[in-house]
Amino acid sequence: MPDAPAPVAYPGTSRSTSATIAPNILRYLARVAEKYGVDLQPLLTRVGLDPTVMGSAALRVSYRQGSDVIRQAVELTGDEHLGLRVGAAQHLTAWGLLGFAMMAADTHEEAIETGVRYQNLSGAMTVWSAGWEDVGYVLRADLPDPALDPTVAVFLIEEAYSSVVTLTRLSVGAAFAPQAVEFAFPAPRDTRPFDELFRCPLRFDAAGNRMVIPARWARAVMPGRDPITYAAVLDVLETEMASRRDQQDLLEVLEISIAQSLPAVPSFPEQARRHASSERTLRRRLAECGTTYEAIVDGVRREQVEQLLRRTELTLRDITRQAGFADMSALRRAVRRWHGVTPLELRSELLEREAPTGRPHP
């Protein structure tokens, strides 16, 4: 294998409450769930994603919102391989201009590296990297949060590699099959859906998640290659990336500011002054991010409450005070709105989910 540059990687957001993810996965998840007779809209609405919002091309959701919907969708459908189904239902057009750029790339390798470079525009909930290794061209998928709920983690990795295989077959050739696929999660009870989809050797409980793509497929010419179109679309994507970075920076700065101030919450006028901005300008910038200051405060409080509930030495009164709620009734209402359970029930769920022996098989 010839020498090649190190794997390409572009990390995602570091804050789970930042609304920075295009909700492509959730849209396809809702479609697949319908086939099981499950209507996800009440669940989507509960986390702030009503039909109008879900239909907006400018919409961005947070990692936390996406994870909540995924976890409950798996429970409602009862499909332990729901991630495979959602990935297999997708098409490059769902990725908008990024999908168009990938179709116009010169080779499959260039298409993959374009997807990796602009992954934050695609709705990816994993962190992708790619490059040549001793075994071949390797596409790796990592989770931005190692402590992610195991059910959600398995779904995201299944969806990630299922979509890659599906989209490759649609764009390069139906005969495509990886050389091998490795998953960090344990082997499921039934591996036949994996065998049928990937058509290659599989390994579970591996050190990481990776797909090895044979050299001939990595170097395969894209049927829709067009250098002029490819270059023009990349210019647009670069502009969008710069705008997205600015938005992400703003959201993360506000979240950190709120988290550091709890139990007190800085007022909106105070935040505008801190950022040398008028209230009108700051509100407009947040609207461009698809959120509001109130929603950001709510997200930070939620994250804080969930962390505090994991500390069993703290009482509900302690948590109420530290998270900045007026009283325990306000805390209970918030937790019920977020999770549909009481604070004590949520504490039990969180502790059970993170127990060493509580890691469920997919």
Side-chain angles (χ1 to χ4, degrees), residues 267-340:
S267 67
F268 188 76
E270 183 179 351
Q271 290 285 21
R273 287 195 298 273
R274 289 182 183 181
H275 294 86
S277 169
S278 69
E279 293 180 44
R280 181 178 179 180
T281 298
L282 182 56
R283 202 171 297 280
R284 175 182 55 77
R285 292 185 64 194
L286 290 176
E288 291 171 353
C289 297
T291 191
T292 64
Y293 184 60
E294 293 74 20
I296 296 172
V297 171
D298 191 59
V300 173
R301 270 201 174 124
R302 175 177 177 170
E303 190 172 75
Q304 177 82 341
V305 166
E306 291 172 4
Q307 292 300 323
L308 294 172
L309 283 171
R310 290 177 170 88
R311 296 173 53 187
T312 55
E313 77 277 9
L314 295 179
T315 66
L316 291 186
R317 192 175 300 280
D318 295 330
I319 295 170
T320 297
R321 183 177 62 255
Q322 293 187 37
F325 286 98
D327 51 43
M328 285 195 290
S329 294
L331 171 66
R332 292 191 185 95
R333 287 194 299 272
V335 173
R336 176 71 65 178
R337 174 166 51 82
W338 295 331
H339 293 279

Side-chain angles (χ1 to χ4, degrees), residues 78-121:
D79 185 350
E80 62 183 1
H81 300 307
L82 191 60
L84 294 182
R85 323 292 183 212
V86 173
Q90 295 179 40
H91 195 281
L92 273 169
T93 53
W95 294 6
L97 284 177
L98 175 56
F100 192 50
M102 294 172 71
M103 288 188 284
D106 186 52
T107 63
H108 186 209
E109 177 185 353
E110 185 174 63
I112 290 174
E113 292 185 352
T114 301
V116 169
R117 180 174 183 179
Y118 298 103
Q119 61 184 284
N120 285 345
L121 302 179

